[in-house]
Amino acid sequence: MNDKQLLPNPSWLLLIHQLPSKPAYLRVKIWRRLQGIGAVAVKSTVYALPATAEAREDFAWLLKEIVEGGGEAMVCEARLIDGLSDDQARALFDTARDDDYEAIANEARALTATLDAAASGEEKTEARAQVRRLRKRLTDVMAIDFFGATGRLAAEASIAELEGLLAVDDGMDAAEPQALPTAEDLKGRVWVTRKGVHIDRVACSWLIRRFIDPDAVIRFVPGKDYVPEPGELRFDMFEGEFTHEGDRCSFEVLLTRAGLDDPALRAIGEIVHDIDLKDGKFGREEAAGIAHLIAGIAMAHADDEERIAQGAPVFDNLYQYFRKKRR
């Protein structure tokens, strides 16, 4: 699930740091933090991230930890001129994420190979727990996959195959299908999503307030370790009620689950999909322009409610365009 929308001709954030020789655990701690936020090394003590608001915050916290640990650090924004091109920098990020995806896919395939019809109930229970851990790892990697590394599809397919195998073993395919909720069922609820909204969450927020509940309350919370309150509906969040499913973005899932069968909304969903997942599935020619508009809104407004307010007219106009174009 990648929503860190980047502007054309990107600039980069560089963390330049020096750590003391002791304590040794500080080096391990900082290295793990750098891995966790998706930074890549361009020199031995220089790490890079695409220049986004979230990356600035990540590096700011890391700088604070380094200095408090007795080290030295500085963060700067730069454009690459000589020595490393933007394409080469992107390739470093893609290679790092492809390695992460490959590790997940290999683990999923290995687990699939161990399951057979004779597997005990205890073995299947443990396999389900491992699948949940793999799915969470995949979500975490997608969050730092800034440029849409190609390995994601193989990792998703491997986990989906494993989930399907366990579902068949459990007889879940014979269960009664659950009725989809209607837009009316979703009124009067509190909706929750991650802070720092971008294309998918902005579009979902517009959809909720435009077609589901004009008075909907939307809360913005930290993306990790959030414990939902009773009755809350989470969207575009790990284990959320409305989030990525297979190769569909959260907006597409919300459309289906809310029973909103509208060709104009489906067209918007295809645009959001192409921007958010960067897989070119629908090849929407409007995607590049909308991506720049939403990226500009995100750059100009740090407040999530303001981003949604500024993004709403973009989607209102898109909706009217597709409705009139169809007629």
Side-chain angles (χ1 to χ4, degrees):
M1 107 189 136
N2 176 21
D3 50 68
K4 298 173 178 64
Q5 185 62 46
L6 307 174
L7 290 171
N9 301 318
S11 57
W12 304 87
L13 294 179
L14 302 179
L15 172 70
I16 306 169
H17 70 289
Q18 183 173 347
L19 298 174
S21 57
K22 295 182 180 180
Y25 74 82
L26 180 63
R27 293 179 177 275
V28 176
K29 177 184 177 182
I30 297 302
W31 181 83
R32 287 177 176 169
R33 289 274 287 114
L34 287 164
Q35 300 303 302
I37 63 177
V40 299
V42 293
K43 293 290 184 181
S44 60
T45 59
V46 181
Y47 281 77
L49 281 174
T52 66
E54 187 170 345
R56 287 187 179 90
E57 183 176 350
D58 286 336
F59 267 169
W61 281 106
L62 197 50
L63 184 149
K64 184 173 183 291
E65 289 184 37
I66 292 171
V67 172
E68 289 178 350
E72 298 178 359
M74 64 178 293
V75 177
C76 61
E77 185 169 349
R79 294 191 180 277
L80 303 179
I81 300 175
D82 292 317
L84 186 70
S85 70
D86 287 331
D87 287 342
Q88 290 171 326
R90 290 190 185 96
L92 291 176
F93 285 95
D94 285 345
T95 298
R97 298 295 76 81
D98 278 334
D99 289 344
D100 294 335
Y101 287 133
E102 184 178 6
I104 292 171
N106 288 340
E107 191 169 334
R109 294 186 191 109
L111 185 55
T112 298
T114 65
L115 289 175
D116 55 34
S120 67
E122 184 177 346
E123 289 172 329
K124 291 176 183 177
T125 298
E126 174 58 25
R128 292 186 201 96
Q130 292 187 53
V131 169
R132 287 194 293 270
R133 288 193 289 269
L134 285 172
R135 182 61 76 177
K136 184 180 186 307
R137 279 175 56 193
L138 178 62
T139 301
D140 291 342
V141 173
M142 288 171 63
I144 56 174
D145 183 6
F146 304 108
F147 302 105
T150 57
R152 177 179 64 82
L153 296 178
E156 285 186 331
S158 299
I159 294 176
E161 180 183 359
L162 183 55
E163 290 171 333
L165 179 61
L166 289 168
V168 170
D169 285 344
D170 287 341
M172 290 176 61
D173 54 327
E176 288 293 325
Q178 294 184 344
L180 292 175
T182 65
E184 193 65 30
D185 298 328
L186 302 175
K187 288 186 177 179
R189 308 294 291 272
V190 175
W191 297 79
V192 179
T193 194
R194 294 173 292 126
K195 294 180 178 179
V197 297
H198 283 274
I199 182 66
D200 203 1
R201 283 166 284 158
V202 172
C204 285
S205 300
W206 167 79
L207 185 69
I208 291 165
R209 287 179 171 164
R210 178 74 164 76
F211 292 93
I212 296 175
D213 185 358
D215 300 317
V217 175
I218 299 177
R219 295 181 57 216
F220 309 98
V221 301
K224 295 181 179 178
D225 303 322
Y226 176 73
V227 179
E229 298 289 336
E232 288 183 342
L233 294 174
R234 294 162 295 171
F235 63 98
D236 204 39
M237 292 183 67
F238 177 66
E239 293 187 338
E241 288 73 21
F242 302 92
T243 192
H244 286 223
E245 292 181 1
D247 69 342
R248 296 187 300 163
C249 67
S250 299
F251 186 92
E252 294 172 287
V253 171
L254 183 54
L255 270 184
T256 301
R257 299 272 299 280
L260 295 171
D261 186 15
D262 183 328
L265 290 177
R266 287 201 301 272
I268 293 175
E270 292 176 358
I271 294 171
V272 175
H273 176 108
D274 280 357
I275 298 171
D276 189 49
L277 298 182
K278 300 180 177 65
D279 58 4
K281 177 179 178 180
F282 298 105
R284 299 295 311 208
E285 61 183 9
E286 307 91 346
I290 300 302
H292 292 161
L293 280 173
I294 299 301
I297 289 171
M299 291 290 288
H301 303 281
D303 180 74
D304 287 315
E305 274 289 359
E306 188 61 28
R307 290 184 182 185
I308 290 171
Q310 295 292 327
V314 175
F315 291 106
D316 280 335
N317 288 322
L318 263 182
Y319 181 70
Q320 293 303 323
Y321 168 75
F322 285 120
R323 287 194 67 189
K324 292 178 179 177
K325 183 177 180 182
R326 181 174 177 80
R327 287 200 294 266

